[in-house]
Amino acid sequence: MTGNDHQPLLETVDVSLRFGFIEALKNVNLTINRREVLAVVGDNGAGKSTLVKTLAGFYQPNDGQLLWKSEPVSISNIREANELGIASVFQDPEFCENLDVASNLFLGKEKRSTFRRRDDEGMYREAKAVLRTLSSVIRIGQPIASLSKGQRQTVSIARTLLSDPELILLDEPTASLSVMQTAEVLSYIKRLRSENHSVLMICHDLPDVFAVADRIIVMRQGRIKGVHYTKETSYEQIIAEIAGVNASGQPFEDERQTQIVVNNMIAQHHLIDRSMKRNLYETQ
Ligand SMILES: Nc1ncnc2c1ncn2[C@@H]1O[C@H](COP(=O)(O)OP(=O)(O)OP(=O)(O)O)[C@@H](O)[C@H]1O
């Protein structure tokens, strides 16, 4: 830990965003500190992607303010986000299947040497270095088509590292990966933090969240419902907050809907303890 660890990198102040009549984000106040991994969790339609896309420059808020290192900024597009030091990796990254890993890493931003010649040597050197940062066993000359889904995710993370971003936004980095591939990607995320990057990731998988996140942000219906230090919270508290019940299982919003959501989550995660389950069923 350094004295800089808790300095805010990116903040949202009362950020709201509407799609027509839908309020996708409502007065969102969030601080992303230097050198931390933040996970955003929430049910479908909670506003997670909209939040991340707003930070990545895809969407502009209707109200509120973004602060980068405590200074007001507007991020009109991905390029402006990149220039600030924010890089994003969205699901199913696109690659040129007939090219190797190094060429894909530099696609569209090839290095040039004297007389504007392609600097293949420089690109291979940098590609190797960036994959080494992630301790990856992927070879730079390997055809991209030969990589597993997890390895492709690694290459897309590596691609963002070339611009040395301070903040990396990841949308479901472990979605549909095998257990081994998930472990690999989670270890890269931890490595990013140890290399002084901050990471904000959307993740549906609570064990993955608890494995890497320093703090967990729970979203529901476009609002932030809770921000928790991972060490100080539990699966039950997070699931309850996602669903809109209190930690002992008492619904405090639409009862029927809450019940359906909680039951689905219980089935999905097999994580809730018996007493909480009993409380939930007794409230039906
Ligand atoms: N481009 C869009 N146009 C209109 N409505 C949108 C658009 N994108 C999102 N929404 C709506 O905004 C709300 C928040 O959606 P968002 O995709 O941010 O949720 P999410 O938490 O990421 O959900 P999921 O986990 O299903 O991806 C939803 O009601 C959604 O239908």
Side-chain angles (χ1 to χ4, degrees), residues 261-277:
V261 174
V262 172
N263 287 346
N264 283 343
M265 285 176 176
I266 293 169
Q268 203 178 334
H269 295 290
H270 312 288
L271 287 168
I272 221 147
D273 71 40
R274 280 172 184 277
S275 61
M276 184 174 174
K277 224 180 205 173

PDB file of all heavy atoms in Angstrom, residues 261-277:
ATOM      1  N   VAL A 261     -36.818 -13.232  -7.474  1.00  0.00           N
ATOM      2  CA  VAL A 261     -35.405 -12.924  -7.715  1.00  0.00           C
ATOM      3  C   VAL A 261     -34.516 -13.677  -6.733  1.00  0.00           C
ATOM      4  O   VAL A 261     -33.522 -14.304  -7.102  1.00  0.00           O
ATOM      5  CB  VAL A 261     -35.156 -11.391  -7.607  1.00  0.00           C
ATOM      6  CG1 VAL A 261     -33.685 -11.079  -7.709  1.00  0.00           C
ATOM      7  CG2 VAL A 261     -35.928 -10.647  -8.685  1.00  0.00           C
ATOM      8  N   VAL A 262     -34.901 -13.624  -5.442  1.00  0.00           N
ATOM      9  CA  VAL A 262     -34.068 -14.279  -4.422  1.00  0.00           C
ATOM     10  C   VAL A 262     -34.002 -15.779  -4.675  1.00  0.00           C
ATOM     11  O   VAL A 262     -32.934 -16.392  -4.621  1.00  0.00           O
ATOM     12  CB  VAL A 262     -34.601 -13.983  -3.001  1.00  0.00           C
ATOM     13  CG1 VAL A 262     -33.858 -14.823  -1.962  1.00  0.00           C
ATOM     14  CG2 VAL A 262     -34.432 -12.513  -2.683  1.00  0.00           C
ATOM     15  N   ASN A 263     -35.148 -16.378  -4.987  1.00  0.00           N
ATOM     16  CA  ASN A 263     -35.153 -17.820  -5.226  1.00  0.00           C
ATOM     17  C   ASN A 263     -34.261 -18.194  -6.399  1.00  0.00           C
ATOM     18  O   ASN A 263     -33.533 -19.184  -6.342  1.00  0.00           O
ATOM     19  CB  ASN A 263     -36.582 -18.318  -5.461  1.00  0.00           C
ATOM     20  CG  ASN A 263     -37.380 -18.325  -4.164  1.00  0.00           C
ATOM     21  OD1 ASN A 263     -36.809 -18.213  -3.088  1.00  0.00           O
ATOM     22  ND2 ASN A 263     -38.690 -18.424  -4.273  1.00  0.00           N
ATOM     23  N   ASN A 264     -34.304 -17.375  -7.439  1.00  0.00           N
ATOM     24  CA  ASN A 264     -33.438 -17.639  -8.586  1.00  0.00           C
ATOM     25  C   ASN A 264     -31.974 -17.571  -8.185  1.00  0.00           C
ATOM     26  O   ASN A 264     -31.154 -18.386  -8.597  1.00  0.00           O
ATOM     27  CB  ASN A 264     -33.669 -16.597  -9.695  1.00  0.00           C
ATOM     28  CG  ASN A 264     -34.931 -16.905 -10.446  1.00  0.00           C
ATOM     29  OD1 ASN A 264     -35.446 -18.015 -10.360  1.00  0.00           O
ATOM     30  ND2 ASN A 264     -35.455 -15.923 -11.172  1.00  0.00           N
ATOM     31  N   MET A 265     -31.685 -16.578  -7.351  1.00  0.00           N
ATOM     32  CA  MET A 265     -30.287 -16.408  -6.943  1.00  0.00           C
ATOM     33  C   MET A 265     -29.825 -17.550  -6.056  1.00  0.00           C
ATOM     34  O   MET A 265     -28.696 -18.008  -6.143  1.00  0.00           O
ATOM     35  CB  MET A 265     -30.119 -15.084  -6.214  1.00  0.00           C
ATOM     36  CG  MET A 265     -30.155 -13.937  -7.167  1.00  0.00           C
ATOM     37  SD  MET A 265     -30.072 -12.431  -6.282  1.00  0.00           S
ATOM     38  CE  MET A 265     -30.015 -11.309  -7.654  1.00  0.00           C
ATOM     39  N   ILE A 266     -30.740 -17.987  -5.189  1.00  0.00           N
ATOM     40  CA  ILE A 266     -30.391 -19.116  -4.316  1.00  0.00           C
ATOM     41  C   ILE A 266     -30.067 -20.326  -5.190  1.00  0.00           C
ATOM     42  O   ILE A 266     -29.049 -20.991  -5.008  1.00  0.00           O
ATOM     43  CB  ILE A 266     -31.553 -19.456  -3.351  1.00  0.00           C
ATOM     44  CG1 ILE A 266     -31.739 -18.303  -2.355  1.00  0.00           C
ATOM     45  CG2 ILE A 266     -31.269 -20.754  -2.608  1.00  0.00           C
ATOM     46  CD1 ILE A 266     -33.017 -18.402  -1.545  1.00  0.00           C
ATOM     47  N   ALA A 267     -30.936 -20.568  -6.167  1.00  0.00           N
ATOM     48  CA  ALA A 267     -30.727 -21.714  -7.047  1.00  0.00           C
ATOM     49  C   ALA A 267     -29.409 -21.554  -7.795  1.00  0.00           C
ATOM     50  O   ALA A 267     -28.663 -22.512  -7.968  1.00  0.00           O
ATOM     51  CB  ALA A 267     -31.876 -21.812  -8.031  1.00  0.00           C
ATOM     52  N   GLN A 268     -29.120 -20.331  -8.187  1.00  0.00           N
ATOM     53  CA  GLN A 268     -27.923 -20.075  -8.993  1.00  0.00           C
ATOM     54  C   GLN A 268     -26.655 -20.256  -8.170  1.00  0.00           C
ATOM     55  O   GLN A 268     -25.672 -20.823  -8.609  1.00  0.00           O
ATOM     56  CB  GLN A 268     -28.000 -18.640  -9.497  1.00  0.00           C
ATOM     57  CG  GLN A 268     -27.189 -18.392 -10.729  1.00  0.00           C
ATOM     58  CD  GLN A 268     -27.386 -16.937 -11.159  1.00  0.00           C
ATOM     59  OE1 GLN A 268     -28.402 -16.307 -10.866  1.00  0.00           O
ATOM     60  NE2 GLN A 268     -26.410 -16.404 -11.827  1.00  0.00           N
ATOM     61  N   HIS A 269     -26.660 -19.733  -6.967  1.00  0.00           N
ATOM     62  CA  HIS A 269     -25.410 -19.685  -6.215  1.00  0.00           C
ATOM     63  C   HIS A 269     -25.283 -20.739  -5.114  1.00  0.00           C
ATOM     64  O   HIS A 269     -24.182 -20.964  -4.627  1.00  0.00           O
ATOM     65  CB  HIS A 269     -25.239 -18.303  -5.586  1.00  0.00           C
ATOM     66  CG  HIS A 269     -25.084 -17.227  -6.606  1.00  0.00           C
ATOM     67  ND1 HIS A 269     -23.962 -17.109  -7.387  1.00  0.00           N
ATOM     68  CD2 HIS A 269     -25.917 -16.235  -6.991  1.00  0.00           C
ATOM     69  CE1 HIS A 269     -24.110 -16.074  -8.201  1.00  0.00           C
ATOM     70  NE2 HIS A 269     -25.284 -15.540  -7.991  1.00  0.00           N
ATOM     71  N   HIS A 270     -26.372 -21.352  -4.730  1.00  0.00           N
ATOM     72  CA  HIS A 270     -26.360 -22.332  -3.634  1.00  0.00           C
ATOM     73  C   HIS A 270     -25.628 -21.775  -2.423  1.00  0.00           C
ATOM     74  O   HIS A 270     -24.833 -22.448  -1.791  1.00  0.00           O
ATOM     75  CB  HIS A 270     -25.666 -23.630  -4.052  1.00  0.00           C
ATOM     76  CG  HIS A 270     -26.125 -24.159  -5.346  1.00  0.00           C
ATOM     77  ND1 HIS A 270     -27.353 -24.729  -5.518  1.00  0.00           N
ATOM     78  CD2 HIS A 270     -25.530 -24.188  -6.558  1.00  0.00           C
ATOM     79  CE1 HIS A 270     -27.491 -25.101  -6.778  1.00  0.00           C
ATOM     80  NE2 HIS A 270     -26.402 -24.775  -7.426  1.00  0.00           N
ATOM     81  N   LEU A 271     -25.868 -20.541  -2.126  1.00  0.00           N
ATOM     82  CA  LEU A 271     -24.997 -19.905  -1.151  1.00  0.00           C
ATOM     83  C   LEU A 271     -25.671 -19.438   0.127  1.00  0.00           C
ATOM     84  O   LEU A 271     -25.014 -19.143   1.099  1.00  0.00           O
ATOM     85  CB  LEU A 271     -24.339 -18.655  -1.785  1.00  0.00           C
ATOM     86  CG  LEU A 271     -23.266 -18.951  -2.796  1.00  0.00           C
ATOM     87  CD1 LEU A 271     -22.927 -17.690  -3.551  1.00  0.00           C
ATOM     88  CD2 LEU A 271     -22.046 -19.493  -2.125  1.00  0.00           C
ATOM     89  N   ILE A 272     -26.977 -19.357   0.078  1.00  0.00           N
ATOM     90  CA  ILE A 272     -27.645 -18.684   1.181  1.00  0.00           C
ATOM     91  C   ILE A 272     -27.782 -19.647   2.374  1.00  0.00           C
ATOM     92  O   ILE A 272     -27.921 -20.846   2.181  1.00  0.00           O
ATOM     93  CB  ILE A 272     -29.005 -18.171   0.684  1.00  0.00           C
ATOM     94  CG1 ILE A 272     -29.264 -16.805   1.224  1.00  0.00           C
ATOM     95  CG2 ILE A 272     -30.118 -19.119   0.942  1.00  0.00           C
ATOM     96  CD1 ILE A 272     -30.045 -15.951   0.265  1.00  0.00           C
ATOM     97  N   ASP A 273     -27.686 -19.134   3.577  1.00  0.00           N
ATOM     98  CA  ASP A 273     -27.762 -20.063   4.706  1.00  0.00           C
ATOM     99  C   ASP A 273     -29.226 -20.408   5.027  1.00  0.00           C
ATOM    100  O   ASP A 273     -30.146 -19.717   4.625  1.00  0.00           O
ATOM    101  CB  ASP A 273     -26.993 -19.523   5.925  1.00  0.00           C
ATOM    102  CG  ASP A 273     -27.687 -18.348   6.568  1.00  0.00           C
ATOM    103  OD1 ASP A 273     -28.932 -18.376   6.661  1.00  0.00           O
ATOM    104  OD2 ASP A 273     -26.997 -17.413   6.967  1.00  0.00           O
ATOM    105  N   ARG A 274     -29.367 -21.489   5.789  1.00  0.00           N
ATOM    106  CA  ARG A 274     -30.711 -22.015   6.008  1.00  0.00           C
ATOM    107  C   ARG A 274     -31.624 -21.015   6.694  1.00  0.00           C
ATOM    108  O   ARG A 274     -32.794 -20.885   6.347  1.00  0.00           O
ATOM    109  CB  ARG A 274     -30.624 -23.276   6.892  1.00  0.00           C
ATOM    110  CG  ARG A 274     -30.235 -24.498   6.132  1.00  0.00           C
ATOM    111  CD  ARG A 274     -29.974 -25.622   7.113  1.00  0.00           C
ATOM    112  NE  ARG A 274     -29.491 -26.794   6.392  1.00  0.00           N
ATOM    113  CZ  ARG A 274     -30.287 -27.656   5.799  1.00  0.00           C
ATOM    114  NH1 ARG A 274     -31.581 -27.494   5.835  1.00  0.00           N
ATOM    115  NH2 ARG A 274     -29.791 -28.691   5.158  1.00  0.00           N
ATOM    116  N   SER A 275     -31.081 -20.298   7.702  1.00  0.00           N
ATOM    117  CA  SER A 275     -31.969 -19.410   8.462  1.00  0.00           C
ATOM    118  C   SER A 275     -32.500 -18.299   7.571  1.00  0.00           C
ATOM    119  O   SER A 275     -33.669 -17.939   7.634  1.00  0.00           O
ATOM    120  CB  SER A 275     -31.227 -18.814   9.651  1.00  0.00           C
ATOM    121  OG  SER A 275     -30.139 -18.072   9.174  1.00  0.00           O
ATOM    122  N   MET A 276     -31.629 -17.801   6.697  1.00  0.00           N
ATOM    123  CA  MET A 276     -32.083 -16.727   5.818  1.00  0.00           C
ATOM    124  C   MET A 276     -33.151 -17.256   4.859  1.00  0.00           C
ATOM    125  O   MET A 276     -34.168 -16.629   4.612  1.00  0.00           O
ATOM    126  CB  MET A 276     -30.903 -16.164   5.031  1.00  0.00           C
ATOM    127  CG  MET A 276     -31.319 -14.992   4.177  1.00  0.00           C
ATOM    128  SD  MET A 276     -29.923 -14.242   3.387  1.00  0.00           S
ATOM    129  CE  MET A 276     -30.768 -13.059   2.360  1.00  0.00           C
ATOM    130  N   LYS A 277     -32.890 -18.482   4.361  1.00  0.00           N
ATOM    131  CA  LYS A 277     -33.848 -19.097   3.445  1.00  0.00           C
ATOM    132  C   LYS A 277     -35.203 -19.239   4.134  1.00  0.00           C
ATOM    133  O   LYS A 277     -36.245 -18.923   3.585  1.00  0.00           O
ATOM    134  CB  LYS A 277     -33.318 -20.473   3.058  1.00  0.00           C
ATOM    135  CG  LYS A 277     -33.413 -20.811   1.613  1.00  0.00           C
ATOM    136  CD  LYS A 277     -32.834 -22.183   1.466  1.00  0.00           C
ATOM    137  CE  LYS A 277     -32.310 -22.462   0.132  1.00  0.00           C
ATOM    138  NZ  LYS A 277     -31.613 -23.728   0.050  1.00  0.00           N
TER     139      LYS A 277
END
